[in-house]
Amino acid sequence: MPLQELAEKELLQLNHADISRAAILFTTPMCGTCKVAERMLEIAEAAGIDYPLYKTNINFTPRLREQWRIGSVPCLIVLRNGKLVRQEYAMRSVDHLYRLLKD
């Protein structure tokens, strides 16, 4: 199932909401590595991870890009209780992503 795409306004609301956890993949449309990372996350999601997954185009999220100091894409942001707890740039494997998001 494709990751739900959110705009910056929606992500800011998500960031400020009282959510226990979420993961956001920052991508760009022409990035081949981003597409591979997205597919890997879709497989991890189908395997039963505990995090809701979202994606967004980094070109349209300047506030979050600056706030979280995202240096490149793909970048997976992991939130717990509305706070950034991890930035993952290397999407090593589906197994790695599954273990990262299955706690």
Side-chain angles (χ1 to χ4, degrees), residues 3-6 11 24-25 27 38 53-57:
L3 301 183
Q4 180 182 359
E5 188 161 1
L6 297 180
L11 288 171
I24 306 159
L25 180 65
T27 67
E38 183 176 348
L53 293 174
Y54 306 98
K55 72 174 181 175
T56 193
N57 184 337

Side-chain angles (χ1 to χ4, degrees), residues 19-23 50-52 54 79-82 101-103:
I19 56 167
S20 61
R21 60 183 78 206
D50 297 330
Y51 281 75
Y54 306 98
L79 301 173
R80 286 195 188 130
N81 299 318
L101 300 171
K102 183 69 178 171
D103 55 354

